[in-house]
Amino acid sequence: MVTDKQNISVNVVDYPYDTSVPLLDNEQFFYIRDEKRHKGRGLAAILTQPPSVQYRTLAERVKNQSKYGFPSHKLVLLIHGHQSFKNALYQPLLADKLSQEGYYVLRIDFRGLGDSEDCWDPKLGRTIKQDVEDLTTIYEFVSSEACKLLLGRTLTLDTIVAHSRGVISMFEFAREVYVPNLINCCGRFDSHGLLLKAARRSPTWEADGGFYCHTLRFGEWQDVWIPKAETLSAGTLDSSKFKEIDSGTWVLSVYTATDPIIPITAAAGYSNLFAGRHTLNIVPNCDHNFYGLPDDPNKLNLSLRKGKVNYGVYLVKELVEYLKEENQLERFYKTHQLIKSAKNEGDVRNRWCLPYEFSQISNFRDVGGYTTGSGTQVRPGIMYRCANPNEATAGALDYMKSDLSVNKIFDLRATNEAIEGGIIPEFDVENLSFNNNMTLSPEEMAKHYQGMFLSSYNFPQAYEIVLENSLPTIRHIFEYVLDGNVDEKHAIVFHCTAGKDRTGILGMLILGIAGVDVDTISHDYELTTLGLCTEKRLIAKINGRGDKFYTILGPKGREIAAAYGVTPTEMAANVLSSKYEAMRLFIDSFLSKFGSFDRFFYEQLKFNKIEVEKIKFHLTI
């Protein structure tokens, strides 16, 4: 058993009951328990780990990426519906397929169902409040020390996939906790319909105080009493309050065109409720549980399950595609494109405030707007990041001065690199080169370029070198903030060549010391993937290196590249990439070495506690 300081315990055991769905080689069965919420063994859970964790070295993982996605820090949670369990319907197949994409996937039994402990109060049964408590336990587990001890890393609850009644619990939970992706499979919109369903099932259910339902419990199908309070908790919920869910959350709703339980009007209800951050998918010809109707012609040539066409296979394919990293990036871009001021409701800004078509500056965006762990907001309109802006149009220069109030630019390139690449005119530009203009030793040089070329997941070793050699520069920039020089009337821009690596490191430190969570920092870093699409000069230069990549890697460059299975074309793509996971791995390394962002500022940048708090004050509202 693994227990952490937050009193979250994980007890890995052999799968205790015979099942028609045996554990895969990359799956574990365990109980998750929080002593505040659970009085028995806790929640029964099956964790599906990415198959790529079987490869011990980074080179092996990179070489096998076409087969198995690189292990992510993202967890997908699968939750079941009314009187169901963790292995029902599409859940085991979805867990398997998503794990192959690099996700960690957890499927659980709510209390009172499957293999989990009994409800806290049998007279109340499985209430929505109890479901939310169970989801909170999972949320706390994935970022806990217990998770780190079990898996070697903490995770982020990236996605919840819920079916039927579980959808209501998911949305109620997400009113309080930010989750980037919520997937609603056949969820009820008009909760009162659940009361009507209960009346059809058992006309005297209210007078009787409940009804019996046949379900799986500890490996056996049995009749379980459903108290009246359990049904009322879900049947009287006001779904309009789900609109309070964080605006950064994107919702996918999947309904079936012929569902006999949930009316198709529920799809319209959620489409309207989450307008602007909602996707709708209608699956044809199947019932509430994604099984084909009688005499289904099976035009999609799907497999059969229980003698019926299994549309769960189709659903799984759609959900895997939906959660591909490029689609996740596009949704983060859309949900964070506009910055709404936490202090002024009418103050709405465009994060990408200088479009390339107008400015000829790539990757120009506002660093602010993100919410911090303490509930404040990173000040918008005071800091901007970008790629080399030396070809900015006259209109862009005027706009930066008049509308963005930029009066200072920090150029993070090496001195010679800045002279060669050009410097933006008409501004106070201070060249504060990262790496302190130092010439790296042959060993450091090889390590640096191996980190940049072989795989984006190798970036942390390159970023660690840059960070270590840039401490005086970094301190100087934050001294500038500390002295009160940065506000909406005196904004700054910082950039390197691509606005990706050195700029990305500084952006991480700004957001990190402000209190933004590591998941959001990593997503913000990934936005550069979109921002660099216009950087034709740099792309052409990198792609033109060809076989020179081997030489830069050192005397054994070809052997090293072969071990990773990468070609010069792939190395060019790697050096231009800005993957979420690359930044997440770097932050892991950073926190492992320095403990926290605050400690880094104390011990490495030599600011005292009062100064750090003052920096935070200037960066947030």
Side-chain angles (χ1 to χ4, degrees):
M1 180 180 290
V2 177
T3 305
D4 73 354
K5 294 178 181 178
Q6 287 84 26
N7 297 311
I8 299 286
S9 64
V10 179
N11 188 19
V12 180
V13 297
D14 292 333
Y15 203 23
Y17 306 107
D18 292 335
T19 174
S20 58
V21 185
L23 295 183
L24 301 176
D25 290 340
N26 58 319
E27 292 186 325
Q28 288 176 295
F29 177 86
F30 49 76
Y31 285 95
I32 303 173
R33 184 180 185 275
D34 180 285
E35 68 174 25
K36 301 187 298 294
R37 306 182 185 99
H38 303 123
K39 55 186 178 181
R41 301 186 73 178
L43 302 176
I46 295 176
L47 177 70
T48 311
Q49 297 194 48
S52 49
V53 299
Q54 68 183 290
Y55 304 117
R56 296 190 176 184
T57 67
L58 179 61
E60 289 178 305
R61 290 179 178 179
V62 172
K63 200 168 187 176
N64 287 281
Q65 275 185 105
S66 60
K67 185 178 180 182
Y68 295 126
F70 197 85
S72 172
H73 281 73
K74 298 176 181 179
L75 179 112
V76 179
L77 175 62
L78 311 183
I79 58 177
H80 58 73
H82 179 67
Q83 299 309 300
S84 190
F85 57 100
K86 61 188 171 300
N87 280 334
L89 309 180
Y90 53 82
Q91 292 184 102
L93 179 62
L94 181 58
D96 181 31
K97 295 300 183 183
L98 285 176
S99 72
Q100 293 180 36
E101 296 293 321
Y103 286 101
Y104 287 82
V105 187
L106 191 70
R107 56 193 198 269
I108 65 167
D109 292 324
F110 282 110
R111 270 180 285 178
L113 293 167
D115 302 327
S116 287
E117 68 175 47
D118 290 333
C119 296
W120 184 271
D121 185 346
K123 294 180 181 178
L124 296 178
R126 178 197 161 194
T127 62
I128 296 298
K129 179 182 178 183
Q130 180 179 279
D131 279 2
V132 170
E133 289 179 352
D134 290 345
L135 295 177
T136 302
T137 294
I138 300 302
Y139 178 78
E140 293 177 354
F141 158 69
V142 298
S143 60
S144 70
E145 191 66 23
C147 180
K148 188 173 183 180
L149 291 171
L150 183 70
L151 302 177
R153 62 171 64 183
T154 56
L155 304 174
T156 291
L157 180 52
D158 177 80
T159 303
I160 302 178
V161 183
H163 180 248
S164 195
R165 177 204 145 121
V167 171
I168 300 174
S169 300
M170 172 182 75
F171 283 146
E172 185 69 7
F173 167 75
R175 287 177 60 199
E176 301 296 330
V177 175
Y178 169 63
V179 181
N181 302 290
L182 300 177
I183 300 179
N184 154 30
C185 296
C186 301
R188 193 178 294 278
F189 183 76
D190 178 6
S191 61
H192 184 71
L194 187 62
L195 305 182
L196 298 177
K197 178 187 174 185
R200 288 193 298 270
R201 176 197 291 264
S202 177
T204 60
W205 75 280
E206 288 191 272
D208 295 340
F211 57 89
Y212 280 99
C213 185
H214 200 60
T215 188
L216 187 68
R217 192 80 172 110
F218 301 119
E220 295 182 1
W221 288 93
Q222 51 189 281
D223 290 328
V224 175
W225 180 249
I226 309 299
K228 177 180 174 180
E230 176 176 324
T231 303
L232 289 175
S233 76
T236 57
L237 207 64
D238 181 3
S239 58
S240 67
K241 292 184 178 180
F242 298 155
K243 195 170 183 177
E244 300 168 5
I245 290 171
D246 192 288
S247 61
T249 296
W250 196 278
V251 179
L252 167 66
S253 291
V254 184
Y255 286 85
T256 77
T258 50
D259 190 335
I261 296 175
I262 304 295
I264 197 65
T265 53
Y270 284 119
S271 293
N272 292 329
L273 191 68
F274 297 118
R277 53 185 177 125
H278 183 267
T279 303
L280 177 61
N281 190 330
I282 304 293
V283 182
N285 306 321
C286 56
D287 64 17
H288 183 66
N289 293 328
F290 298 97
Y291 291 130
L293 302 178
D295 302 319
D296 189 309
N298 196 9
K299 293 181 180 180
L300 298 178
N301 196 30
L302 300 171
S303 60
L304 300 182
R305 187 178 183 191
K306 299 180 180 179
K308 298 178 180 180
V309 178
N310 185 9
Y311 281 89
V313 175
Y314 172 83
L315 173 67
V316 166
K317 183 179 179 181
E318 292 293 302
L319 297 188
V320 169
E321 181 63 27
Y322 179 80
L323 291 175
K324 294 275 189 182
E325 62 180 35
E326 58 270 23
N327 295 327
Q328 285 248 46
L329 171 60
E330 186 64 27
R331 289 192 294 275
F332 184 84
Y333 166 80
K334 288 179 179 178
T335 53
H336 292 82
Q337 186 174 8
L338 297 180
I339 299 173
K340 299 179 182 179
S341 172
K343 297 296 184 182
N344 182 357
E345 218 174 88
D347 183 0
V348 181
R349 306 161 187 249
N350 191 333
R351 182 173 302 282
W352 303 80
C353 46
L354 272 182
Y356 180 81
E357 293 74 18
F358 164 71
S359 66
Q360 296 298 297
I361 306 174
S362 294
N363 204 21
F364 193 105
R365 62 185 193 267
D366 195 326
V367 176
Y370 297 115
T371 302
T372 72
S374 61
T376 61
Q377 183 185 41
V378 181
R379 288 181 187 270
I382 67 168
M383 288 187 170
Y384 302 92
R385 54 177 291 177
C386 63
N388 180 10
N390 77 300
E391 292 189 353
T393 63
L397 296 175
D398 288 342
Y399 188 82
M400 288 168 67
K401 291 177 180 177
S402 61
D403 290 68
L404 301 184
S405 300
V406 174
N407 75 331
K408 181 79 170 182
I409 294 178
F410 290 113
D411 185 345
L412 310 182
R413 296 172 295 175
T415 304
N416 291 338
E417 183 185 1
I419 294 172
E420 180 184 341
I423 298 172
I424 189 170
E426 303 180 29
F427 280 93
D428 176 12
V429 179
E430 187 170 359
N431 182 222
L432 291 173
S433 59
F434 269 44
N435 269 341
N436 199 27
N437 269 338
M438 292 175 62
T439 301
L440 301 177
S441 69
E443 293 79 12
E444 285 182 313
M445 185 72 74
K447 185 178 179 183
H448 178 77
Y449 284 115
Q450 286 175 27
M452 297 304 296
F453 296 163
L454 297 174
S455 169
S456 58
Y457 305 118
N458 237 342
F459 282 8
Q461 73 175 36
Y463 287 2
E464 287 167 11
I465 294 171
V466 173
L467 181 67
E468 184 179 346
N469 291 332
S470 305
L471 296 179
T473 295
I474 293 168
R475 177 179 167 87
H476 180 83
I477 293 170
F478 282 102
E479 281 178 337
Y480 190 80
V481 175
L482 174 65
D483 292 340
N485 295 313
V486 182
D487 55 39
E488 287 196 33
K489 294 183 179 179
H490 306 87
I492 67 169
V493 171
F494 59 95
H495 73 90
C496 50
T497 296
K500 179 176 80 73
D501 301 314
R502 291 162 289 188
T503 300
I505 293 170
L506 181 55
M508 178 208 77
L509 292 172
I510 291 169
L511 295 179
I513 196 60
V516 177
D517 65 275
V518 297
D519 178 63
T520 301
I521 295 173
S522 301
H523 277 301
D524 178 77
Y525 168 82
E526 191 179 26
L527 287 175
T528 292
T529 300
L530 302 176
L532 276 188
C533 291
T534 54
E535 194 61 18
K536 307 299 183 185
R537 297 171 296 172
L538 181 61
I539 293 172
K541 183 177 180 180
I542 297 295
N543 286 334
R545 284 177 174 169
D547 285 356
K548 291 180 182 177
F549 280 111
Y550 296 127
T551 304
I552 299 173
L553 287 175
K556 295 184 178 181
R558 289 184 182 274
E559 293 178 33
I560 295 171
Y564 280 77
V566 293
T567 64
T569 300
E570 290 166 327
M571 283 190 272
N574 287 335
V575 79
L576 289 167
S577 71
S578 52
K579 291 182 180 291
Y580 167 98
E581 199 59 35
M583 177 53 70
R584 193 67 189 267
L585 288 168
F586 175 55
I587 296 175
D588 274 0
S589 173
F590 176 91
L591 294 177
S592 176
K593 184 174 183 179
F594 301 115
S596 67
F597 285 97
D598 281 25
R599 281 187 58 189
F600 174 80
F601 273 69
Y602 300 150
E603 297 172 6
Q604 303 301 314
L605 300 184
K606 307 303 181 184
F607 290 112
N608 62 42
K609 290 187 177 182
I610 294 175
E611 290 171 330
V612 169
E613 290 306 310
K614 194 172 181 180
I615 289 171
K616 293 179 183 180
F617 172 80
H618 288 307
L619 290 178
T620 59
I621 53 177

